[in-house]
Amino acid sequence: MESRSASVFGIDRSLTGKAWRWRGGNMDLSDGFGAGPAGLEDDIVTQLLLSRGVAREDLERHRNPSLRAFLPDPSAFRDMDAAAERIAQAVMTGEAVTVYGDYDVDGATSAALLILLLRGLGHDARYYIPDRLLEGYGPSGEALVRIAGEGSSLIVTVDCGAMAHEALEMAHQAGVDVIVVDHHKCSPELPRAAALVNPNRLDEDDLAASHGHLAAVGVAFLLAVATVRTLRKRGFFETRREPDLFALLDLVALGTVADVAALHGLNRAFVAQGLKVMGKRENIGMSALIDASRLSRAPTCSDLGFALGPRINAGGRVGESTLGVRLLTTTDPDEARDIAAQLSRLNDERRGIEQAVQEMAEMQIDRQHNRSVIVVAGEGWHPGVIGIVAGRIKEKTGKPSLVIALGADEGGNGKGSGRSISGVDLGAAIIAAREMDLLVAGGGHAMAAGLTIAPGKLDALSDWLDTHLATDVSRASASQSMLLDLALSPGGLTPQLVETLESAGPYGMGWPGPRVAVGPVRIVKADVVGADHLRLIVSGPDGGRFKAMAFRSAESEMGQALLHASQGRRLWLAGRAKIDDWGSRPQAELHLDDAAFCD
């Protein structure tokens, strides 16, 4: 097996400036890939699993991830049993319950999951989703007290609440019980709550803490399991049917992928099984959402992140914050179609707003090329799109990035959203900045964070983050390479190969999709399609010919080099093998991440 430190094909600096390395073992099949020896497909899948950290003795469990194989005992999490007991009590006594969710996809799916759970238990729960612009992130004390005044004796917050000390204290004083179901980072001192279920509590045991990668909807599912078990012990189901918890896994899959949670272990099982449930289209709102996304087949993992999730998010970003929960809990097909269509229109509107903010934000990047953390800010920027723009800037610069909408609230405070790179814990840095009085509020997790900043504190925050994270960013950047799983000749890029690679999925954060190097090839045609997408037609000496796409890359250094390359020069192309099913028969194509000249 080739050393990880050795460059692949001698490529130490590609067109994106990276060295090419094997992710795991050397899988260089570029001397030809036809039917191959018996079992070759299994060998590829085995290597993909091993290179993603699966122990050889644990391979079978990971080939087809199931809940039976990965679901922990919910009681391993602190306060889980207390939370389940309190919800069971509310169900059995008919108490009024309100689910208080965040306005993003994770919040919407978490809230919908608990609402559907309680509905399946014969209990109608209310819901409350705050307005992003008027109320901001997390539970406000005023809202909790108002909900209590309207009759709810139990409030369950989902995807928020872990840092809501003042708000939960106000709720306690008002005499209402609050259960917090969250996954964001916690401070050593927890807010007052009837129960706080969060695998990222600092006092969690090792088993629960090992599930810190769960999205809030995953934690909510574990609470659903614990609640049903508690009610079963109390004899609640002697005269009624137990709810089908597996039917809720489509919500878990959507929230997990849309929140960019790491897809390993339990999350991978959630998504793998949730996609199967989603394909059955039993949730009326989810089915309408799939139709509105113009999907004519069962959704894939990438569809959750790029088609379904953004539509749910659009309601909280630029529309009405309750639309996502309403869609995912409705039993009326006509209402579902109307809401799904509205979300699609809002998503189109969001794209236009996002593009405008993106252009203004990118004008500030050049002045920060020496910074460890990119911080851009502007007046009038829509707070609903700053997280998306932060992600785009992070991808463009390879550095943690914060985008701040100045003057976003009545007090003149700025609202910011950040995205980080692997190896740099941005959420912890934002919490530390808040504790140093650089922020009004803030929190998050390793890869994403949100904040509120007072006027005049922007420069101080930028300087502090630059110093505080410099070492982490430098170390993370130095270790970045273009990691490859497989090398093929051009003729080896086939639909059958794509099916083999996909069988080791689902892929996402923490379980990266396989990156394939294909070559050597020569460019037959290169042109720009759409706004900024590069399209290549390439061929190889084995007669193989295929299309390669580099999205949003036509103006990049790599895009320009490929557009103006001599057609006689040979290249290696690296990217994700995909199926192009627009034509009369499916063809394999390559979605480019990188390229390098052979000579």
Side-chain angles (χ1 to χ4, degrees):
M1 183 175 293
E2 186 168 333
S3 169
R4 171 71 173 270
S5 61
S7 59
V8 178
F9 308 127
I11 299 171
D12 289 313
R13 185 171 179 80
S14 66
L15 293 182
T16 65
K18 294 183 174 66
W20 287 14
R21 303 281 189 263
W22 293 116
R23 191 189 309 275
N26 180 335
M27 281 212 292
D28 181 5
L29 305 177
S30 58
D31 58 350
F33 180 90
L40 178 58
E41 290 81 2
D42 286 343
D43 289 343
I44 290 175
V45 172
T46 295
Q47 185 59 54
L48 292 175
L49 297 176
L50 291 172
S51 65
R52 281 149 185 78
V54 177
R56 187 169 292 276
E57 62 271 18
D58 204 20
L59 283 170
E60 291 310 309
R61 188 169 70 121
H62 287 266
R63 287 186 191 276
N64 296 293
S66 66
L67 289 194
R68 181 183 298 275
F70 286 95
L71 194 72
D73 182 349
S75 296
F77 296 77
R78 291 192 182 275
D79 282 4
M80 182 69 82
D81 290 340
E85 290 282 353
R86 184 65 185 87
I87 294 175
Q89 176 187 334
V91 169
M92 298 186 75
T93 58
E95 291 180 60
V97 179
T98 294
V99 180
Y100 191 117
D102 188 23
Y103 38 67
D104 69 358
V105 185
D106 193 17
T109 52
S110 299
L113 186 149
L114 291 184
I115 291 165
L116 293 178
L117 168 71
L118 291 169
R119 189 182 292 171
L121 296 171
H123 193 92
D124 285 328
R126 307 167 186 173
Y127 59 83
Y128 186 94
I129 310 295
D131 185 277
R132 178 189 292 265
L133 299 182
L134 299 179
E135 298 176 84
Y137 169 77
S140 69
E142 293 79 5
L144 295 178
V145 171
R146 185 168 63 252
I147 291 169
E150 293 170 351
S152 289
S153 54
L154 175 62
I155 300 172
V156 184
T157 73
V158 289
D159 197 29
C160 59
M163 298 292 292
H165 294 78
E166 295 181 7
L168 267 62
E169 182 61 34
M170 290 177 65
H172 176 76
Q173 295 299 326
V176 62
D177 286 341
V178 179
I179 294 172
V180 174
V181 180
D182 206 350
H183 70 133
H184 294 98
K185 289 188 175 293
C186 297
S187 59
E189 180 182 355
L190 298 174
R192 181 179 290 202
L196 196 156
V197 184
N198 185 337
N200 287 306
R201 286 176 55 154
L202 298 181
D203 59 348
E204 270 295 9
D205 294 333
D206 289 345
L207 175 59
S210 69
H211 290 83
H213 62 295
L214 293 179
V217 70
V219 183
F221 183 83
L222 291 176
L223 176 57
V225 173
T227 299
V228 169
R229 184 172 62 184
T230 299
L231 287 168
R232 187 186 304 125
K233 291 178 180 178
R234 292 189 178 191
F236 184 75
F237 299 113
E238 292 178 0
T239 58
R240 66 171 65 228
R241 178 180 298 178
E242 291 192 14
D244 180 7
L245 296 183
F246 274 78
L248 302 174
L249 287 175
D250 54 352
L251 297 171
V252 182
L254 178 56
T256 297
V257 173
D259 212 52
V260 201
L263 292 192
H264 56 75
L266 179 57
N267 275 349
R268 189 161 163 263
F270 276 150
V271 175
Q273 301 306 317
L275 286 170
K276 296 177 183 178
V277 174
M278 196 175 294
K280 298 177 181 178
R281 290 182 170 236
E282 294 177 347
N283 182 303
I284 291 172
M286 190 77 77
S287 180
L289 185 65
I290 294 169
D291 289 338
S293 302
R294 300 182 181 88
L295 295 175
S296 58
R297 46 166 174 72
T300 64
C301 191
S302 62
D303 293 327
L304 306 189
F306 295 105
L308 306 187
R311 285 172 166 78
I312 296 291
N313 253 336
R317 292 187 186 280
V318 298
E320 182 185 338
S321 61
T322 62
L323 288 174
V325 176
R326 284 173 54 198
L327 174 67
L328 296 173
T329 58
T330 186
T331 58
D332 183 342
D334 291 333
E335 181 186 29
R337 282 192 294 271
D338 289 344
I339 295 175
Q342 185 178 356
L343 286 170
S344 286
R345 290 192 298 271
L346 288 170
N347 194 45
D348 291 338
E349 179 183 340
R350 184 268 307 168
R351 287 195 185 102
I353 296 171
E354 173 196 328
Q355 182 176 352
V357 174
Q358 177 86 24
E359 291 172 355
M360 290 185 284
E362 288 191 357
M363 293 174 64
Q364 301 180 26
I365 294 176
D366 289 342
R367 300 195 298 269
Q368 302 191 42
H369 65 278
N370 290 324
R371 290 274 188 175
S372 300
V373 179
I374 303 297
V375 181
V376 297
E379 297 278 354
W381 292 2
H382 198 300
V385 302
I386 55 178
I388 302 173
V389 175
R392 294 270 165 79
I393 293 176
K394 183 261 292 190
E395 292 297 326
K396 186 181 184 73
T397 63
K399 296 179 179 180
S401 300
L402 285 169
V403 178
I404 300 173
L406 299 176
D409 66 16
E410 294 179 354
N413 294 317
K415 297 289 185 179
S417 186
R419 299 293 183 268
S420 193
I421 61 176
S422 180
V424 180
D425 191 334
L426 186 59
I430 292 301
I431 290 174
R434 189 198 66 231
E435 292 172 348
M436 295 187 64
D437 200 32
L438 292 169
L439 297 170
V440 175
H445 47 81
M447 300 301 289
L451 60 88
T452 302
I453 187 168
K457 289 290 185 76
L458 182 62
D459 288 343
L461 174 67
S462 299
D463 292 342
W464 184 84
L465 287 172
D466 183 45
T467 302
H468 183 73
L469 292 177
T471 300
D472 289 345
V473 172
S474 177
R475 184 183 301 116
S477 298
S479 64
Q480 287 183 352
S481 300
M482 189 60 59
L483 300 182
L484 303 174
D485 294 282
L486 182 67
L488 302 168
S489 64
L493 188 64
T494 65
Q496 293 75 22
L497 172 73
V498 177
E499 291 178 6
T500 296
L501 296 177
E502 288 300 317
S503 68
Y507 299 106
M509 177 64 66
W511 193 268
R515 184 176 288 119
V516 177
V518 186
V521 297
R522 286 184 170 87
I523 297 174
V524 176
K525 181 182 178 182
D527 59 0
V528 178
V529 294
D532 187 34
H533 309 315
L534 175 65
R535 177 175 60 188
L536 300 177
I537 303 298
V538 301
S539 65
D542 63 352
R545 181 184 176 105
F546 62 88
K547 179 176 71 176
M549 295 292 301
F551 297 101
R552 294 190 298 273
S553 299
E555 296 300 322
S556 69
E557 290 186 18
M558 178 184 76
Q560 289 297 301
L562 293 174
L563 274 170
H564 298 103
S566 166
Q567 292 188 0
R569 297 193 69 181
R570 297 187 309 153
L571 302 108
W572 280 97
L573 303 179
R576 319 283 180 171
K578 299 291 184 180
I579 294 292
D580 178 5
D581 51 11
W582 283 100
S584 58
R585 63 189 181 93
Q587 298 286 335
E589 66 181 24
L590 196 66
H591 291 183
L592 283 184
D593 293 323
D594 204 355
F597 289 111
C598 299
D599 43 36

